[in-house]
Amino acid sequence: MENIFSTTKTDPRKELESEVQKQRQKQKELENQPQEELKDPFKEYKSIQSKDTLIKIDRFAFKVSQNIESITTTLNMGIKKIETIKKPIYQKIGGNEEIISFEAKILITQMSEFEGFKELVKKAKPLKLSILSEKPKKILIQRLSESKKNWVMITERGVSYYCKELSIEGVVL
């Protein structure tokens, strides 16, 4: 049996002050630890292609949602008109030519990427073209024009992009 007269009584206030002192000491220790570098929480998602992307040329994505007014495909049969005195003559010269043109907003993460896109177009080499779920094709861009609008910063799924309207026309190879 325990003797209540011989046991020392503890002061709850002193216990509480002691606990507060321990917590303050732990807080100081945590503050003095080296800080970890902040990690980008969206890093693993940046490589995911947005479902809103309709057109992709090489590695450059073009935004769709309400931005592409039309995608026009023209098929030239290579038929030339030759004027004669009586009536014109139509002659098939060469092969068929499929031309595609569209207006879209390009999505880039850094402004320098746009210069890279322009340099890619200036090389006048075939580029990979993906539209919706169609089989990828090759395109030789013949015309690239920019709108007068300035670059706009948008955020898609936690990733910020610069975007600008472009008009592109090229031959599908």
Side-chain angles (χ1 to χ4, degrees):
M1 192 165 177
E2 191 176 329
N3 184 351
I4 58 170
F5 297 109
S6 64
T7 59
T8 56
K9 188 174 178 182
T10 57
D11 185 14
R13 184 179 187 128
K14 286 187 178 185
E15 285 181 9
L16 186 60
E17 287 175 356
S18 172
E19 184 63 31
V20 168
Q21 193 67 10
K22 287 178 187 176
Q23 292 299 325
R24 284 184 183 155
Q25 183 63 29
K26 285 182 181 179
Q27 182 67 30
K28 284 182 184 179
E29 289 173 8
L30 288 174
E31 288 173 357
N32 292 334
Q33 285 183 346
Q35 293 289 328
E36 286 185 28
E37 222 176 278
L38 294 177
K39 295 179 183 175
D40 184 3
F42 300 105
K43 183 177 180 182
E44 63 184 278
Y45 301 108
K46 286 186 177 181
S47 63
I48 297 174
Q49 182 177 348
S50 167
K51 291 182 180 180
D52 294 336
T53 303
L54 173 68
I55 298 174
K56 193 168 182 183
I57 297 176
D58 199 47
R59 60 182 164 82
F60 297 92
F62 294 83
K63 186 176 176 190
V64 172
S65 22
Q66 303 171 357
N67 292 321
I68 293 185
E69 296 183 14
S70 68
I71 298 175
T72 306
T73 304
T74 307
L75 185 60
N76 293 329
M77 302 303 159
I79 298 174
K80 304 296 178 197
K81 181 179 179 179
I82 302 169
E83 294 290 336
T84 63
I85 296 174
K86 290 187 178 182
K87 66 178 190 175
I89 298 173
Y90 296 92
Q91 185 177 11
K92 171 107 169 110
I93 300 175
N96 299 339
E97 178 181 66
E98 183 180 355
I99 297 174
I100 189 166
S101 60
F102 58 89
E103 291 184 18
K105 288 188 178 182
I106 188 169
L107 299 176
I108 57 174
T109 54
Q110 297 176 6
M111 296 295 276
S112 59
E113 288 181 43
F114 183 65
E115 290 304 316
F117 179 69
K118 285 177 31 177
E119 289 302 315
L120 199 61
V121 171
K122 286 179 184 178
K123 288 180 181 177
K125 292 186 178 180
L127 303 171
K128 183 179 175 183
L129 170 69
S130 301
I131 301 175
L132 287 172
S133 58
E134 292 180 12
K135 189 171 76 172
K137 304 174 186 177
K138 294 282 186 179
I139 184 173
L140 180 60
I141 297 176
Q142 296 175 315
R143 185 179 59 82
L144 171 67
S145 56
E146 301 177 45
S147 69
K148 291 183 181 179
K149 294 179 183 175
N150 292 328
W151 287 95
V152 178
M153 180 70 103
I154 62 168
T155 302
E156 293 281 329
R157 298 181 185 196
V159 182
S160 295
Y161 296 101
Y162 293 100
C163 70
K164 187 172 189 171
E165 278 188 42
L166 299 177
S167 180
I168 297 174
E169 183 178 307
V171 177
V172 178
L173 305 174

